[in-house]
Amino acid sequence: MDKRQVKSQQRLMRALADLLTSGKKLDQVSIKAIVNQAQVARSTFYRNFDSKDDFLDWVISEIETGILEAVQMEHGEIVEEPFKNYFRYLYQQREFIKAFVSYLNWPFLTEKMFLTATNLYEKELRGKQTIISATDLANYIVGAHVQVSRAWLMTADPRSPEKMATVLTTLTRDNLLKGFGIERLISLPK
């Protein structure tokens, strides 16, 4: 993909975010409004996307990719400080992501990340003795992470990304996992 095409796509995505944050409802936003806001030709839109739905699918994919790259999840592995990287990315992109989280379905937006994260936790817990199944525990942990992240993102919460990373680690390892006596069975980032 050439640089002009990437730039056009980014302008279209920014235009949609601007329209949504200005109070427009997603179903009220037309392709014409998007291209006008982006100051690109309608043909540019159709050179990149088949329809508004195709464009929205691409937007969601771009946001997912940005978040996954921020935590550097590749091939089921996480790097050091993924929680901090995750919250830093959300913080840097806060207004932009809020526009899409507010007007697109949050569970749909996070489904891929949810599945990736639960698979990581399940892999760590599988075969280890706990009173809760690895699947249930992984789903509970990741569900809590998603809700804590969403609440922080959608409000004027002044806590830093680093503080939020500490909150997630503390809630998960030092409270939930320790309560079950399994805090050593899963390695969480510091």
Side-chain angles (χ1 to χ4, degrees), residues 16-54:
L16 177 60
D18 291 344
L19 289 166
L20 294 174
T21 56
S22 73
K24 298 263 190 221
K25 301 269 188 244
L26 186 59
D27 59 351
Q28 297 171 330
V29 175
S30 65
I31 292 171
K32 181 180 179 180
I34 295 168
V35 298
N36 287 345
Q37 182 73 26
Q39 297 181 340
V40 300
R42 191 174 181 93
S43 61
T44 299
F45 180 91
Y46 285 109
R47 199 173 17 260
N48 289 284
F49 307 103
D50 294 331
S51 65
K52 182 178 166 185
D53 288 337
D54 183 39

Side-chain angles (χ1 to χ4, degrees), residues 102-129:
S102 296
Y103 299 100
L104 299 175
N105 190 333
W106 175 261
F108 180 71
L109 181 65
T110 59
E111 182 177 345
K112 181 178 178 182
M113 294 173 292
F114 187 89
L115 291 173
T116 301
T118 53
N119 287 336
L120 287 171
Y121 280 113
E122 279 187 74
K123 183 179 170 185
E124 289 244 3
L125 291 167
R126 192 163 287 124
K128 298 174 181 174
Q129 279 303 98

Side-chain angles (χ1 to χ4, degrees), residues 16 36 73 87 126 148 151 162 170 176:
L16 177 60
N36 287 345
M73 290 180 151
F87 280 106
R126 192 163 287 124
V148 167
E162 293 75 19
T170 301
L176 176 68

Side-chain angles (χ1 to χ4, degrees), residues 102-168:
S102 296
Y103 299 100
L104 299 175
N105 190 333
W106 175 261
F108 180 71
L109 181 65
T110 59
E111 182 177 345
K112 181 178 178 182
M113 294 173 292
F114 187 89
L115 291 173
T116 301
T118 53
N119 287 336
L120 287 171
Y121 280 113
E122 279 187 74
K123 183 179 170 185
E124 289 244 3
L125 291 167
R126 192 163 287 124
K128 298 174 181 174
Q129 279 303 98
T130 66
I131 59 173
I132 306 291
S133 76
T135 301
D136 290 340
L137 191 53
N139 280 306
Y140 185 84
I141 290 168
V142 176
H145 289 189
V146 167
Q147 286 308 107
V148 167
S149 301
R150 184 181 190 285
W152 178 74
L153 179 66
M154 299 306 290
T155 63
D157 191 327
R159 292 177 287 181
S160 70
E162 293 75 19
K163 177 64 177 170
M164 292 308 298
T166 300
V167 166
L168 279 189

